[in-house]
């Protein structure tokens, strides 16, 4: 168990809908990362937050947004969902950034858009 | 731009064989970080090893070892005496100092009994 908790584990929704994925980092970790894993795109970095502030941005669509709350949990919001958004979404956390520690991953949320 | 290439899509070995997974990376940063992660069939991503760009010392940790060579931009990972439980997809990853971590496409390792 990595200590990173993601909910829900599975999510099925229809096109056009909006969903929120939740991540609780390991105790004491300040950095949260979001990744999308799909068969055709592999593991794609979406966004990183550090102590509530956005720190790095990757291939995140404009329909997607994220935030990190004062208690350090994070949410990834996906809106106007398309079939191609079906993927495994991972959250990871680390104590600081990559210069100090590795990132530990949650078990992922499998999103299916129908 | 950062890029990680894992040329080996799939590797199949017989138990107890040694296996090396290749990773080649591209970056313009002078400070960067390299990682290997394992994704077993259950789906979670498990951290294996991490290396800083300024530390080329290669080490052995149990059955795992790695060969980091800046001159060839390679960060290869070796499993000695492979076991069936090592069957998984292995990802090499490269991160800049900010936290933008890029993964390779992964190498699927199958260890047969």
């Amino acid at each position: 168990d990595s200590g990173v908790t993601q909910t829900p584990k599975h999510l099925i929704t229809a096109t056009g809908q909006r969903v929120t994925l939740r991540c609780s980092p390991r105790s004491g970790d300040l950095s949260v990362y979001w990744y999308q894993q799909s068969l055709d795109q592999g593991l794609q970095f979406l966004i990183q937050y550090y102590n509530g502030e956005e720190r790095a941005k990757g291939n995140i669509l404009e329909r997607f947004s994220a935030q990190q709350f004062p208690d350090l949990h994070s949410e990834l919001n996906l809106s106007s969902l398309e079939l191609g958004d079906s993927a495994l979404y991972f959250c990871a956390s680390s104590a600081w950034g990559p210069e100090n520690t590795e990132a530990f991953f949650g078990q992922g949320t499998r999103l299916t858009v129908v | 731009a950062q890029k990680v290439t894992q040329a080996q899509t799939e590797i199949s070995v017989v138990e107890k064989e040694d296996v090396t997974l290749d990773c080649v990376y591209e970056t313009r940063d002078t400070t960067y970080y390299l990682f290997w992660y394992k994704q077993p069939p259950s789906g979670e991503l498990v951290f294996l090893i991490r290396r800083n760009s300024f530390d080329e010392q290669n080490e052995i940790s149990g059955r795992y070892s790695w060969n980091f060579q800046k001159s060839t931009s390679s960060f290869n990972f070796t499993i000695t005496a492979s076991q069936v439980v090592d069957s998984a997809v292995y990802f090499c990853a490269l991160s800049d100092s900010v936290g933008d971590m890029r993964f390779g496409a992964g190498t699927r390792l199958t260890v047969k009994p």
Side-chain angles (χ1 to χ4, degrees):
Chain A
D1 183 0
S2 68
V4 179
T5 304
Q6 289 188 248
T7 57
K9 285 189 170 48
H10 302 276
L11 196 50
I12 301 176
T13 189
T15 54
Q17 294 298 305
R18 182 179 189 274
V19 297
T20 297
L21 312 184
R22 183 188 168 97
C23 170
S24 293
R26 293 187 316 159
S27 177
D29 282 359
L30 298 178
S31 277
V32 170
Y33 311 75
W34 285 99
Y35 288 84
Q36 178 194 58
Q37 186 178 31
S38 60
L39 285 174
D40 55 344
Q41 298 285 336
L43 261 168
Q44 297 282 320
F45 168 67
L46 297 179
I47 198 164
Q48 182 205 2
Y49 280 83
Y50 175 75
N51 203 20
E53 299 290 328
E54 182 184 305
R55 194 180 189 206
K57 210 167 188 176
N59 303 318
I60 188 166
L61 300 173
E62 285 192 10
R63 299 183 287 109
F64 297 0
S65 65
Q67 55 183 328
Q68 186 179 27
F69 295 86
D71 67 353
L72 301 178
H73 90 271
S74 178
E75 292 181 354
L76 179 66
N77 299 297
L78 315 176
S79 61
S80 303
L81 285 167
E82 302 174 359
L83 295 177
D85 297 326
S86 295
L88 190 55
Y89 290 85
F90 283 106
C91 168
S93 76
S94 65
W96 299 92
E99 66 273 22
N100 301 102
T101 60
E102 56 277 5
F104 290 88
F105 284 75
Q107 292 195 319
T109 293
R110 183 167 295 283
L111 173 66
T112 303
V113 182
V114 298
Chain B
Q2 300 191 121
K3 184 179 177 183
V4 177
T5 302
Q6 294 179 254
Q8 305 152 309
T9 306
E10 294 190 32
I11 298 177
S12 181
V13 299
V14 176
E15 207 170 18
K16 297 184 183 176
E17 285 185 11
D18 297 347
V19 57
T20 295
L21 309 180
D22 298 334
C23 174
V24 174
Y25 62 93
E26 295 176 30
T27 181
R28 293 180 180 174
D29 294 336
T30 53
T31 300
Y32 51 90
Y33 308 87
L34 295 162
F35 304 82
W36 276 97
Y37 282 86
K38 170 184 177 180
Q39 188 174 37
S42 52
E44 74 273 23
L45 278 161
V46 180
F47 165 77
L48 296 175
I49 56 176
R50 168 180 175 271
R51 214 70 198 154
N52 304 328
S53 58
F54 43 86
D55 182 1
E56 284 191 75
Q57 182 178 355
N58 295 311
E59 294 182 14
I60 297 174
S61 176
R63 294 188 299 111
Y64 297 156
S65 63
W66 49 95
N67 187 353
F68 175 30
Q69 293 194 0
K70 288 179 76 171
S71 59
T72 56
S73 297
S74 65
F75 185 50
N76 299 335
F77 177 65
T78 297
I79 302 174
T80 303
S82 60
Q83 301 174 1
V84 173
V85 292
D86 294 327
S87 296
V89 179
Y90 289 81
F91 291 96
C92 178
L94 167 67
S95 176
D96 62 15
S97 56
V98 178
D100 183 348
M101 185 158 65
R102 306 288 172 141
F103 282 77
T107 298
R108 181 176 298 278
L109 173 65
T110 301
V111 181
K112 299 178 181 178

